[in-house]
Structures are given as C-alpha cells and as structure tokens.
C-alpha cells in the first residue's frame, strides 16, 4: 500500500509540473518588415501558436520597447502557412519612426515581440 501511495504521489507531481509548463506557454518569435508594405512572421515550436494570433504594431516612443506606453498603431490576425504564421498589415500609412510588432499571448503560447525597425 505504501508503494501505491508513493506512485500516486509521483504521478500527481508529474501532472502538476506538466500543467505549469503548459501554462507558461511555448516561445514565440516575431518579425516585422516594411515600410510601404508592412508584414511579418510568427515562429513557434507549437503549431497551434502560428495562426489566429492577434498581432499589434506599435510606434516606439522612447529608446526601448514598452508596449504599455508605446502607441498602438495597427492590429491584424495571423494565418498559419506551413511551419510559420504570416501576418500582413498592407500599407497602413505608418509614416516615419521606430516600430515593432507583438504577437499577443494566447492559450499555450507566450507573447512575442519583434526587433524594432526604423521606417
């Protein structure tokens, strides 16, 4: 009986660890290109993190990214194409400045931010 209780305890611990890992989500990598046609990609080891992701484009105000302060200038949704997600903002008329993209956090997927680009 003691062995059975120990086995159940180990099984419960493994499930708890797995649920914490799932809650933290899969890594997400985002790119942004432009300036006249603004688009990019999303990469993640989890296939479900590629399509249907909300992507926001921010105009960076300071010397570093801060999506809580920077101006949101456009949003779109990614589509899955093969082993990556594709997002496309067309020509949103961003003007000049520093811009970056964020793929929002979704169930099982961490948020991801692109590098800042200058248009």
């Amino acid at each position: 009986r003691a062995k059975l209780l120990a086995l159940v305890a180990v099984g419960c611990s493994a499930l708890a660890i797995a649920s914490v890992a799932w809650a933290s989500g899969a890594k997400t990598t985002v790119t942004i290109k432009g300036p006249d046609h603004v688009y990019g990609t999303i990469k993640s080891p989890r296939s479900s993190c590629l399509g249907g992701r909300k992507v926001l484009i921010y105009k960076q105000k300071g010397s570093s990214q801060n999506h809580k302060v920077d101006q949101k200038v456009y949003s779109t949704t990614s589509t899955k194409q093969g082993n990556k997600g594709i997002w496309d903002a067309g020509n949103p008329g961003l003007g000049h400045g520093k811009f970056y993209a964020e793929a929002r956090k979704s169930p099982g997927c961490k948020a991801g931010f692109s590098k800042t680009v200058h248009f």
Side-chain angles (χ1 to χ4, degrees), residues 11-49:
C12 289
S13 296
L15 286 174
I17 291 169
S19 66
V20 168
W22 175 263
S24 65
K27 181 180 177 182
T28 298
T29 304
V30 182
T31 65
I32 183 172
K33 298 187 185 224
D36 296 326
H37 183 155
V38 181
Y39 64 98
T41 60
I42 298 173
K43 292 187 179 180
S44 175
R46 183 170 287 145
S47 178
S48 62
C49 295

Side-chain angles (χ1 to χ4, degrees), residues 57 61 67 78 83 92 95 103-104 108:
I57 300 172
K61 292 183 175 183
H67 68 280
S78 69
N83 62 351
R104 298 298 297 258

Side-chain angles (χ1 to χ4, degrees), residues 12-110:
C12 289
S13 296
L15 286 174
I17 291 169
S19 66
V20 168
W22 175 263
S24 65
K27 181 180 177 182
T28 298
T29 304
V30 182
T31 65
I32 183 172
K33 298 187 185 224
D36 296 326
H37 183 155
V38 181
Y39 64 98
T41 60
I42 298 173
K43 292 187 179 180
S44 175
R46 183 170 287 145
S47 178
S48 62
C49 295
L50 304 176
R53 297 285 294 275
K54 185 171 185 177
V55 177
L56 301 173
I57 300 172
Y58 293 93
K59 185 169 188 176
Q60 186 174 308
K61 292 183 175 183
S63 59
S64 62
Q65 295 180 4
N66 183 344
H67 68 280
K68 294 181 180 180
V69 174
D70 295 334
Q71 179 185 0
K72 181 177 75 170
V73 293
Y74 195 85
S75 69
T76 188
T77 304
S78 69
T79 57
K80 183 180 175 210
Q81 291 186 10
N83 62 351
K84 61 186 168 186
I86 304 292
W87 63 269
D88 192 329
N91 183 352
L94 298 179
H96 297 288
K98 298 181 287 185
F99 299 90
Y100 63 95
E102 174 193 15
R104 298 298 297 258
K105 180 180 176 181
S106 64
C109 311
K110 292 181 179 178

